[in-house]
Amino acid sequence: MILIETKGRSVSSHWHKQRGRVICHIQLFMATRVFLLILLLLSSATSIFSLYEDQVGLMDWHQQYIGKVKHAVFHTQKTGRKRVLVSTEENVIASLDLRHGEIFWRHVLGTNDAIDGIDIALGKYVITLSSDGSILRAWNLPDGQMVWESFLRGPKHSKSSLMVLKTLKVDKDRVIIVSGKGCVHGVSSIDGEVLWTKDLAAESVEVQQVIPLHDSDKIYAVGFSGLTQFHAYEINAMNGELLKHETADFSGGFVGELALVSSETLVALDTTRSILVTVSFRNGKINFHQTYISSLVKDSTGIAMILPSTLTGMFTLKINTLKLIIRVTGEDQLELVEKFDHATVVSDVLSISEDKEAFAVVQHGGIKIHLQVKLSDDWNSDLVKESIEMDQQRGLVHKVFINNYIRTDRSHGFRALIVMEDHSLLLLQQGKIVWNREDALASIIDVTTSELPVDKAVSVAKGEHNLIDWLKGHILKLKGTLMLASPEDVVAIQAIRLKSSEKSKLTRDHNGFRKLLIVLTKAGKIFALHSGDGRVVWSLLLPSLRKSKVCDCPTGLNLYQWQVPHHHAMDQNPSVLVVGKCGYSSNAPAVLSFVDTYTGKELNSLDLGHSVAQIIPLPFTDSTEQRLHLLVDADRRVHLYPRTPEARTIFQQEFSNIYWYSVEADNSIIKGHVIKRTCIGEVADDFCFESGDLWSIVFPLESEKIIATGSRKSNEVVHTQAKVTSDQDVMYKYISKNLLFVATVSPKASVGIGSADPEEASLFAYLIDTVTGRILHRMTHHGAQGPVHAVFSENWVVYHYFNLRAHRFEMSVIEIYDQSRAENKDVWKLVVGKHNLTAPVSSYSRPEVVTKSQSYFFTHSVKAMAVTLTAKGITSKQLLIGTIGDQVLALDKRFVDPRRTVNPSQAEKEEGIIPLTDFLPIIPQSYVTHALKVEGLRSIVTVPAKLESTTLVFAYGMDLFFTQLAPSRTYDSLTEDFSYALLLITIIALVAAIFVTWILSERKELQDKWR
Amino acid sequence: MKKLPLFAFFFTLLFLSSSAFDSDELLLDDEEFGIEGRAQPAQPQVKPHEPATTRSTTTTTRKRLSDSDSDSKIQFSLEHAFGDSDFTPAGTFSARLKTASHGGQMKQLESYYYNTGSLNEETLKLTKLRISRNQFLGVEKEKFEKLLQDDDFYRIRLPSNPLSPPGRDYIISSVKARCLPQEGLDEHFVIHMEGANILAVNYGAFGACSYPRQLKLPAKWSFNSHTVLKNPEQAQRAPIFAEDILGGENVEGEVLPPPERSFWAKYWMYLIPLGLIVMNAITQAMNLPEEQAAGQSGGQGQQPAAAIQRGASSAVRRR
């Protein structure tokens, strides 16, 4: 994103420092060619990444999550496996083992398919209602297979609810009552057939609640029409017959939620939110009764809200930060039972026997939480009173669900499932945390990596316990390689490999495989995961990203490496910068937070007075190795961080070389900016700068809409600038950090596949220099449309789109080469010095570039794309494609080479050019995720290891997956299963043989002499 | 039939362009190429549909010819700004607005150049772009000199829709002022078009602008403008393999002998060590007389003498 015009020079500086070296490089090209040839011979033409069955889990790990739980239903009645069914905010339904918290089965619904309700019907089906009450599905309880699915239609959007009638038994079919989209439906639970539909929206009634009547087939549907009219419908649940319809007017009007107190009493708020209205509709008569809130509580200023609850005879009212439990006694008398602070959570009611119902209350007290289970008709009865120590990093309790069981002494026991502020899920029983799940990891926003501490006391013996163990292990391995191992030995070998303590150490390793993955989640919690085994090293619920009085809905945005110490790596800890903002609007104030990555402590946090629209990490660091960052706010002002005089001096030296761009996707405008001067404002601020527009590209709205952009990763290293083709020619890559790929489509084609005809859809691909706004390349794909996924690396970009004419997905590649350096082929020119390789590159020169492109069909649609990154950029590249099946596929870059021809010549074959095909091959062995799925895959992150051949891949979505990849195999290290013992034994045998033959020859010589 | 010689002409132009660097290359992708102060390029001969009526332009931004609705002339203004100053008029672009119609020879020509596969009937197009650039007047000259001093930006802007300026927004482009002065003020416009809309303008020096930029005042204060209109090129389709691949395989059967490689390509690995040995020998031969000279003037100090001796002995050993 940051564009330093003159820095083009530094990319190539190593290459043209000295003339002599250039010659070496020419030699190097040739040498690499020879080397490639040898490689080609060695690896028998196919370099497919794949692994053996016993290698699974050695380098990779996989974790499954579900997200923040919304609803939970327990299934514990029958003997057998006890489970809890949950639906989450990430649109997941899952069945969890109640004993360990593991997932039995799980389904991820689409991103637009939010779950409204979950219940169990017939004791064997899980019923879910989703998409605003329009899709009803039944899943088999034991294995999660879908049994049936029904689509419910309605005229308009309204509140939706799901209810399985418990008491009705008609041919053992239980009717499911669904209200949503303005209608009430009765659905058979056996096959999902819609038995009846009552369109209440036609009578302009908005259904608020459906109430079952005990021991009868009847239900009540209550709602409002307009603000003031209250309606109650009595409906036969079997056939949908309308039995009674009553209305009554209440002049005060209604607002917000209705609370059901008993089957015939409701409580609502009037429009002023100061009066509680008790509605009772007994025997066909509707009565209203008003009670002022101020008569119940003294301090009743503030907005009152009725919270949804199912407590019998009681309801919960929220005023400011207070939660009030109010009981309805008699007909319409209200009585305040209890006052809680806002952090207290009340569960739904659970019937524990014929006439008894219980509910749970969870309160915070210091480092502990207090769980009480009470009978609903007696507030002072405490069936359970437990205090549990809680990790402070989990924040407040957000939800509680309870379940009962019979203890060994035949009394009632309770277990509670609680959902915390950090989205974690815990099961409490007998005052202990039975298990917990860190489900915040299902909603990762951003990832960065941090190095582990340098091992201060280096001891090799730490990993291997002693020499005998070490030898034993190697002899076992030797047995394995010589196929002498018994089955038990094989198991032992596998166990040794899997639990190798080497990979999970908390220190830096020589190869750079061990790292900390720092992830920021939607919950505002930061986790540090160890790359070796994926365990959580530390976690921190950021105070600045927690809901507070100042900020109602803080959101995390990005993570950046703030300080990466190299000079003082032994005594300074690296830290990351977390950028968040308060609220969702574009001019919401920004929040910064600095977190130490070794200790997981927040070092500092700043509430900024300005908003944040863009964050630009600059390639400069100050003396303490803190990276300079620019924050661009909504008014296009630029703020420099850290706010130190030193940072300002560094920044001012590079002032005129800083350019950046902004993409207004909705407006289809791309603009380039430059810093002009310090801000002129009321308060003098030395760290604030005004910006000016340098260039703009205005796409005509009627024909083009921006749908994808892509640029090179700032930390990418390009090893060689030149590419030697088969005919001894050199092509110079156009390597600029300032290139931006933009894809636009016709507005009609931007909605989804099928929305436009091939004639009216086209896709435009652009390569733009972001310093000058120059369009270096512009290309049309007629009859193509989005969604577009693009990846930019070195001098090429690969993008994926849909071809409407061919009815297939396609991938195109654009490679861009620099012509201005093309004359530097002659060796003598280089020797004499008549070349322009040492000249600094300026974006203001007229570029002489040539592009090569080619398109290929690709079978899958794509969710994410990335490219492998290695430390020096020597290793060949692989594209990592997140497929629609939530897997990650590695595709060699050679397959998307624009120079592929139908019949490559011998020389081209030697160079590694694959014969042209219309399809990109999908080789099953090249799935990086092998048999696993990364459910809900959102992004793939690649990080270089210190070892050149290896790159670390982290794919995340609902699940996390981490592995190591070697796109050109591990040519620079011995494989992990290399048998040192075999080598040792061979050497010993050889030495012994030498000695024996020496002695023998001596003897023979002696004998010869005696003869 | 008629087109054939025409194409041949263009191909010759193409080849010519590859040999001469300066201006001909632009013709490859140029719609129109006008250089002020030079002779009119030869395009009018090529385009057979050149309308006979060319009206002298007036100050109104757009003039349509009444008799011909498929071809009309428009004008739009170029504005400039010095650093952060406001935009002021700096010149006018004049261009021919063409309504592409199906079947015409012109259309075929166009599709030949730009590969525009499916043109709508109503496609509007600008061709024959020409610029008349205002000279820098007194104040402007001063301002520009100031820009040169400060190494600041010279900015220009165009309307995004030349038919109804400014359209949605102005298209801005800028360049460091120090890039422009050569002999005169050399500038280069590449205007990217989408139908009749201007999408972007790339403004800059005609040639290279090397960094660090040197302060240099132009000898002549007149603009030497080059303009290029660009339309998108069509992407290559994904290759579709049909029966012709079988035909291709027959060709593959006869293996082509690899091309004879040059002497250098064959024997570089022998030549380089040889060269190194020769170089080594030469340096030694050069060192020998020096050594003697140094030996004669010895006694200046122990250190250098010892060093030379060491060097000599090592040379001897190497031999």
Side-chain angles (χ1 to χ4, degrees):
Chain A
M1 193 151 292
I2 177 61
L3 322 154
I4 307 301
E5 179 217 340
T6 53
K7 284 294 179 274
R9 186 172 36 160
S10 67
V11 177
S12 51
S13 59
H14 73 276
W15 147 256
H16 42 61
K17 279 260 164 71
Q18 290 166 7
R19 254 175 256 155
R21 235 195 255 180
V22 178
I23 303 174
C24 292
H25 271 258
I26 294 290
Q27 286 175 2
L28 208 109
F29 299 150
M30 310 250 178
T32 37
R33 255 196 76 210
V34 175
F35 177 69
L36 269 175
L37 242 163
I38 296 163
L39 257 187
L40 209 77
L41 285 170
L42 283 177
S43 62
S44 66
T46 46
S47 62
I48 300 161
F49 169 82
S50 57
L51 36 79
Y52 294 102
E53 196 185 342
D54 63 339
Q55 288 175 323
V56 167
L58 283 183
M59 312 280 208
D60 53 326
W61 48 263
H62 180 239
Q63 294 175 353
Q64 293 185 311
Y65 293 100
I66 52 175
K68 188 184 183 184
V69 169
K70 265 203 286 198
H71 312 279
V73 182
F74 291 87
H75 184 75
T76 51
Q77 286 87 0
K78 285 191 185 143
T79 51
R81 295 207 281 190
K82 303 212 183 312
R83 60 186 80 214
V84 58
L85 295 145
V86 293
S87 71
T88 72
E89 288 179 356
E90 304 291 320
N91 303 347
V92 172
I93 47 165
S95 167
L96 303 179
D97 185 347
L98 208 49
R99 296 240 182 280
H100 310 289
E102 287 150 12
I103 299 170
F104 281 138
W105 54 262
R106 174 182 63 162
H107 290 289
V108 182
L109 307 185
T111 43
N112 303 324
D113 203 5
I115 300 165
D116 306 312
I118 181 167
D119 211 340
I120 294 176
L122 300 173
K124 59 179 181 181
Y125 292 160
V126 183
I127 311 288
T128 60
L129 181 71
S130 57
S131 285
D132 287 330
S134 58
I135 304 174
L136 192 67
R137 294 189 183 97
W139 315 83
N140 196 9
L141 188 55
D143 57 4
Q145 301 283 332
M146 187 152 81
V147 184
W148 51 259
E149 183 177 38
S150 287
F151 294 94
L152 310 169
R153 281 180 190 85
K156 62 170 198 169
H157 175 84
S158 75
K159 225 172 74 173
S160 54
S161 70
L162 169 74
M163 184 173 62
V164 179
L165 292 185
K166 300 273 186 238
T167 51
L168 298 172
K169 282 196 182 111
V170 183
D171 303 332
K172 288 189 178 173
D173 186 3
R174 286 187 178 172
V175 179
I176 301 163
I177 308 292
V178 176
S179 82
K181 300 246 172 203
C183 298
V184 180
H185 308 270
V187 183
S188 157
S189 62
I190 287 176
D191 53 4
E193 191 194 343
V194 180
L195 300 173
W196 52 267
T197 298
K198 203 97 219 135
D199 186 1
L200 298 178
E203 300 167 38
S204 66
V205 174
E206 193 171 328
V207 181
Q208 290 290 328
Q209 205 134 23
V210 179
I211 306 155
L213 283 177
H214 287 293
D215 305 323
S216 73
D217 290 350
K218 286 178 251 171
I219 54 165
Y220 274 121
V222 294
F224 305 126
S225 69
L227 271 178
T228 57
Q229 202 161 38
F230 178 82
H231 293 257
Y233 295 89
E234 196 180 325
I235 300 169
N236 186 332
M238 289 297 103
N239 50 22
E241 190 191 338
L242 184 64
L243 302 173
K244 248 184 239 169
H245 176 206
E246 286 141 25
T247 57
D249 269 328
F250 176 70
S251 55
F254 298 102
V255 69
E257 287 272 343
L258 268 179
L260 182 67
V261 177
S262 71
S263 61
E264 284 160 338
T265 319
L266 291 163
V267 178
L269 275 171
D270 81 332
T271 40
T272 60
R273 288 191 189 263
S274 60
I275 301 168
L276 284 166
V277 187
T278 321
V279 187
S280 57
F281 44 105
R282 195 163 297 165
N283 305 326
K285 262 185 235 157
I286 300 174
N287 291 316
F288 298 111
H289 185 268
Q290 304 180 30
T291 314
Y292 282 93
I293 295 177
S294 52
S295 70
L296 293 167
V297 255
K298 280 171 194 131
D299 176 33
S300 64
T301 49
I303 294 167
M305 268 169 73
I306 292 179
L307 296 180
S309 66
T310 60
L311 302 177
T312 7
M314 287 181 282
F315 65 95
T316 324
L317 187 76
K318 188 186 165 197
I319 304 174
N320 293 335
T321 60
L322 279 183
K323 276 182 184 169
L324 312 174
I325 308 283
I326 297 165
R327 186 188 294 277
V328 182
T329 48
E331 271 286 286
D332 40 26
Q333 292 305 307
L334 301 182
E335 170 190 278
L336 180 67
V337 181
E338 186 72 75
K339 243 198 252 183
F340 292 127
D341 62 349
H342 70 288
T344 305
V345 179
V346 182
S347 79
D348 281 355
V349 38
L350 170 82
S351 80
I352 49 172
S353 62
E354 279 297 302
D355 53 348
K356 276 186 181 165
E357 287 176 329
F359 65 94
V361 177
V362 180
Q363 282 173 288
H364 284 268
I367 57 162
K368 287 190 170 183
I369 61 163
H370 307 290
L371 172 75
Q372 290 162 286
V373 178
K374 298 168 189 283
L375 284 175
S376 64
D377 49 4
D378 180 8
W379 187 262
N380 296 320
S381 64
D382 278 343
L383 294 175
V384 173
K385 199 168 181 186
E386 287 163 358
S387 292
I388 300 131
E389 208 164 296
M390 188 60 71
D391 181 1
Q392 287 306 295
Q393 297 307 327
R394 296 199 186 280
L396 303 175
V397 177
H398 272 190
K399 276 199 171 96
V400 57
F401 305 95
I402 54 162
N403 174 237
N404 65 321
Y405 62 94
I406 309 291
R407 286 202 191 120
T408 42
D409 61 352
R410 303 257 158 218
S411 64
H412 284 293
F414 292 91
R415 51 171 85 95
L417 192 67
I418 57 172
V419 182
M420 305 294 292
E421 190 180 351
D422 69 339
H423 297 189
S424 62
L425 186 68
L426 299 99
L427 185 79
L428 309 180
Q429 192 175 327
Q430 296 156 356
K432 282 195 191 91
I433 300 171
V434 184
W435 50 260
N436 68 71
R437 295 181 56 88
E438 291 286 2
D439 274 306
L441 288 169
S443 56
I444 292 177
I445 299 170
D446 200 5
V447 181
T448 187
T449 55
S450 164
E451 293 289 344
L452 281 159
V454 180
D455 198 352
K456 281 170 191 163
V458 186
S459 59
V460 187
K462 218 186 216 172
E464 291 91 22
H465 308 286
N466 56 46
L467 193 71
I468 295 167
D469 277 356
W470 183 81
L471 259 181
K472 260 188 195 166
H474 275 289
I475 285 173
L476 266 178
K477 271 190 191 173
L478 182 68
K479 268 179 155 179
T481 39
L482 296 177
M483 314 255 190
L484 295 169
S486 62
E488 296 92 73
D489 288 345
V490 173
V491 173
I493 294 168
Q494 191 65 6
I496 289 172
R497 294 167 77 185
L498 280 178
K499 69 167 198 261
S500 148
S501 58
E502 189 66 22
K503 68 172 186 181
S504 54
K505 268 191 203 166
L506 266 176
T507 51
R508 218 174 275 190
D509 66 331
H510 184 66
N511 289 335
F513 292 163
R514 291 199 297 261
K515 281 196 160 67
L516 281 179
L517 297 166
I518 314 288
V519 299
L520 173 66
T521 62
K522 231 187 246 175
K525 197 173 186 181
I526 298 187
F527 291 87
L529 305 175
H530 193 287
S531 69
D533 50 6
R535 70 176 190 276
V536 175
V537 179
W538 53 259
S539 62
L540 170 71
L541 188 65
L542 274 181
S544 53
L545 290 181
R546 283 179 75 175
K547 202 169 161 177
S548 64
K549 271 178 195 165
V550 189
C551 185
D552 202 30
C553 48
T555 48
L557 292 176
N558 289 99
L559 268 179
Y560 294 94
Q561 292 186 339
W562 177 252
Q563 192 178 16
V564 185
H566 294 100
H567 304 312
H568 308 282
M570 298 297 265
D571 45 59
Q572 260 183 356
N573 294 359
S575 54
V576 288
L577 165 71
V578 187
V579 185
K581 63 178 179 180
C582 183
Y584 297 100
S585 70
S586 61
N587 49 14
V591 199
L592 296 187
S593 181
F594 305 92
V595 180
D596 186 322
T597 62
Y598 290 174
T599 60
K601 297 275 179 297
E602 191 177 41
L603 300 171
N604 189 12
S605 77
L606 297 171
D607 286 321
L608 308 183
H610 57 84
S611 59
V612 57
Q614 223 174 335
I615 305 130
I616 305 168
L618 296 174
F620 316 116
T621 50
D622 66 7
S623 59
T624 59
E625 292 181 83
Q626 289 185 343
R627 187 162 295 277
L628 269 60
H629 284 69
L630 289 184
L631 266 69
V632 186
D633 67 12
D635 301 325
R636 288 273 154 71
R637 282 211 191 96
V638 181
H639 304 266
L640 176 71
Y641 291 91
R643 298 169 75 94
T644 55
E646 189 199 354
R648 203 188 130 82
T649 9
I650 296 168
F651 180 69
Q652 242 158 4
Q653 282 162 10
E654 300 290 341
F655 199 77
S656 60
N657 281 335
I658 292 172
Y659 300 80
W660 78 98
Y661 66 92
S662 60
V663 179
E664 295 167 29
D666 302 329
N667 220 357
S668 283
I669 293 178
I670 303 178
K671 278 184 181 162
H673 311 280
V674 74
I675 292 169
K676 286 202 309 209
R677 55 178 170 264
T678 45
C679 292
I680 309 155
E682 311 85 67
V683 194
D685 186 352
D686 282 349
F687 299 94
C688 165
F689 304 90
E690 306 239 358
S691 70
D693 290 356
L694 263 198
W695 53 267
S696 63
I697 297 173
V698 181
F699 297 102
L701 272 183
E702 62 273 16
S703 60
E704 291 182 46
K705 187 176 187 305
I706 299 171
I707 56 164
T709 56
S711 59
R712 271 180 66 191
K713 277 206 176 162
S714 57
N715 59 346
E716 192 188 48
V717 183
V718 180
H719 178 251
T720 169
Q721 282 200 80
K723 192 171 176 178
V724 184
T725 57
S726 53
D727 51 350
Q728 303 296 314
D729 209 352
V730 183
M731 293 203 292
Y732 288 87
K733 298 172 182 171
Y734 187 83
I735 297 164
S736 162
K737 296 235 168 189
N738 309 334
L739 278 187
L740 171 73
F741 166 81
V742 177
T744 63
V745 289
S746 341
K748 255 193 180 173
S750 66
V751 188
I753 294 164
S755 56
D757 295 334
E759 282 73 36
E760 48 193 21
S762 37
L763 186 142
F764 303 86
Y766 294 87
L767 286 180
I768 297 167
D769 184 307
T770 50
V771 172
T772 57
R774 239 180 247 277
I775 298 179
L776 296 176
H777 183 64
R778 183 169 172 223
M779 205 161 72
T780 330
H781 295 268
H782 285 294
Q785 73 160 87
V788 173
H789 294 272
V791 59
F792 205 138
S793 171
E794 295 199 350
N795 66 327
W796 51 265
V797 58
V798 172
Y799 51 102
H800 177 273
Y801 54 90
F802 188 73
N803 186 332
L804 285 166
R805 287 227 174 90
H807 308 287
R808 276 180 265 202
F809 287 99
E810 262 183 20
M811 277 226 240
S812 277
V813 58
I814 304 174
E815 289 192 358
I816 180 159
Y817 292 97
D818 194 352
Q819 281 292 296
S820 62
R821 294 170 173 233
E823 301 102 70
N824 299 323
K825 284 169 208 159
D826 198 349
V827 181
W828 293 115
K829 246 187 187 174
L830 296 177
V831 174
V832 180
K834 282 189 176 175
H835 60 88
N836 59 356
L837 291 176
T838 42
V841 179
S842 169
S843 285
Y844 288 107
S845 300
R846 193 155 67 92
E848 297 163 52
V849 292
V850 280
T851 54
K852 291 172 183 288
S853 69
Q854 180 63 270
S855 305
Y856 300 96
F857 292 125
F858 188 70
T859 317
H860 290 304
S861 72
V862 162
K863 281 189 166 178
M865 271 221 278
V867 65
T868 55
L869 279 182
T870 52
K872 303 270 186 313
I874 300 168
T875 311
S876 66
K877 302 251 168 186
Q878 278 184 335
L879 291 173
L880 299 175
I881 300 164
T883 64
I884 193 73
D886 293 323
Q887 295 214 301
V888 179
L889 178 78
L891 182 75
D892 224 290
K893 168 67 180 55
R894 287 191 302 154
F895 286 109
V896 282
D897 192 328
R899 290 171 57 234
R900 283 172 70 181
T901 51
V902 180
N903 290 314
S905 68
Q906 196 57 40
E908 281 176 327
K909 270 184 198 160
E910 276 174 22
E911 196 197 325
I913 286 184
I914 303 165
L916 183 69
T917 48
D918 48 356
F919 263 94
L920 292 174
I922 291 172
I923 304 153
Q925 289 94 319
S926 61
Y927 278 106
V928 181
T929 44
H930 42 90
L932 302 169
K933 274 175 96 180
V934 188
E935 283 286 356
L937 180 68
R938 281 197 306 270
S939 184
I940 303 165
V941 177
T942 54
V943 185
K946 261 189 214 150
L947 199 65
E948 167 55 29
S949 67
T950 313
T951 168
L952 311 176
V953 178
F954 181 54
Y956 63 88
M958 204 69 65
D959 295 353
L960 314 181
F961 179 80
F962 178 89
T963 193
Q964 293 173 12
L965 270 191
S968 308
R969 303 187 170 197
T970 48
Y971 55 81
D972 51 1
S973 67
L974 293 170
T975 51
E976 159 271 345
D977 54 350
F978 179 81
S979 176
Y980 290 94
L982 185 63
L983 182 73
L984 213 72
I985 287 167
T986 315
I987 290 168
I988 290 167
L990 278 173
V991 169
I994 287 166
F995 271 102
V996 168
T997 46
W998 182 61
I999 291 164
L1000 283 177
S1001 78
E1002 287 277 289
R1003 224 178 254 174
K1004 198 163 175 277
E1005 221 168 275
L1006 194 68
Q1007 275 175 358
D1008 283 350
K1009 279 180 181 166
W1010 274 109
R1011 201 169 283 166
Chain B
M1 293 300 115
K2 237 181 175 178
K3 280 175 276 169
L4 238 141
L6 215 135
F7 289 167
F9 176 74
F10 259 78
F11 274 116
T12 47
L13 268 185
L14 271 172
F15 285 120
L16 278 175
S17 69
S18 58
S19 61
F21 166 72
D22 217 358
S23 57
D24 297 24
E25 190 204 313
L26 294 170
L27 280 174
L28 277 176
D29 38 26
D30 292 0
E31 170 103 5
E32 212 42 58
F33 178 60
I35 298 170
E36 209 199 347
R38 291 197 195 172
Q40 282 288 320
Q43 265 78 25
Q45 301 167 10
V46 188
K47 306 250 163 152
H49 267 241
E50 180 77 11
T53 48
T54 42
R55 200 183 279 183
S56 61
T57 51
T58 56
T59 45
T60 51
T61 46
R62 189 182 168 195
K63 274 267 182 228
R64 265 182 179 272
L65 292 181
S66 52
D67 51 351
S68 150
D69 62 353
S70 71
D71 223 355
S72 59
K73 230 174 186 186
I74 60 157
Q75 282 197 346
F76 52 94
S77 65
L78 167 77
E79 292 174 309
H80 65 179
F82 303 91
D84 297 336
S85 76
D86 289 335
F87 284 95
T88 49
T92 40
F93 279 102
S94 58
R96 199 165 290 281
L97 183 72
K98 215 170 277 171
T99 315
S101 53
H102 283 284
Q105 200 179 5
M106 183 59 90
K107 156 78 172 64
Q108 282 174 14
L109 250 179
E110 271 172 2
S111 65
Y112 170 74
Y113 289 122
Y114 319 118
N115 297 323
T116 44
S118 58
L119 276 171
N120 293 334
E121 212 133 346
E122 292 303 310
T123 308
L124 293 170
K125 234 177 192 149
L126 291 188
T127 55
K128 301 217 162 296
L129 187 75
R130 220 146 279 155
I131 181 171
S132 73
R133 196 74 155 85
N134 300 348
Q135 286 239 327
F136 275 154
L137 299 171
V139 187
E140 288 177 331
K141 214 166 171 177
E142 273 168 30
K143 279 184 181 168
F144 195 79
E145 267 170 24
K146 177 111 194 339
L147 286 189
L148 289 177
Q149 293 290 345
D150 301 348
D151 192 17
D152 210 344
F153 291 100
Y154 175 64
R155 302 194 294 159
I156 57 143
R157 74 175 186 188
L158 290 177
S160 66
N161 188 346
L163 303 185
S164 58
R168 209 148 70 81
D169 203 345
Y170 281 102
I171 316 277
I172 306 171
S173 189
S174 42
V175 70
K176 286 273 186 188
R178 287 190 185 181
C179 288
L180 294 179
Q182 297 294 333
E183 188 61 24
L185 290 165
D186 281 6
E187 58 178 2
H188 186 239
F189 295 88
V190 182
I191 300 178
H192 291 267
M193 303 293 300
E194 172 63 45
N197 288 310
I198 297 174
L199 194 102
V201 55
N202 303 343
Y203 179 69
F206 184 73
C209 178
S210 58
Y211 186 88
R213 291 175 286 270
Q214 301 299 329
L215 175 62
K216 178 182 163 192
L217 290 174
K220 274 194 300 183
W221 282 92
S222 66
F223 274 101
N224 195 6
S225 311
H226 309 260
T227 57
V228 177
L229 271 184
K230 266 194 180 175
N231 280 299
E233 52 186 281
Q234 192 169 357
Q236 203 170 352
R237 296 240 171 89
I240 294 172
F241 287 89
E243 282 118 45
D244 56 324
I245 219 172
L246 293 170
E249 267 170 343
N250 290 339
V251 182
E252 203 182 28
E254 42 190 85
V255 180
L256 292 164
E260 191 64 33
R261 291 202 260 167
S262 68
F263 180 76
W264 174 252
K266 265 183 187 167
Y267 301 113
W268 62 270
M269 61 280 269
Y270 306 112
L271 289 173
I272 286 171
L274 202 77
L276 286 173
I277 290 166
V278 170
M279 292 239 295
N280 204 6
I282 290 168
T283 43
Q284 274 184 32
M286 300 245 294
N287 279 352
L288 226 66
E290 263 176 49
E291 230 170 90
Q292 281 162 2
Q296 279 158 9
S297 69
Q300 279 176 348
Q302 296 281 0
Q303 209 76 11
I308 288 161
Q309 244 158 33
R310 225 179 294 131
S313 63
S314 70
V316 170
R317 231 175 281 139
R318 227 181 294 142
R319 235 181 284 144

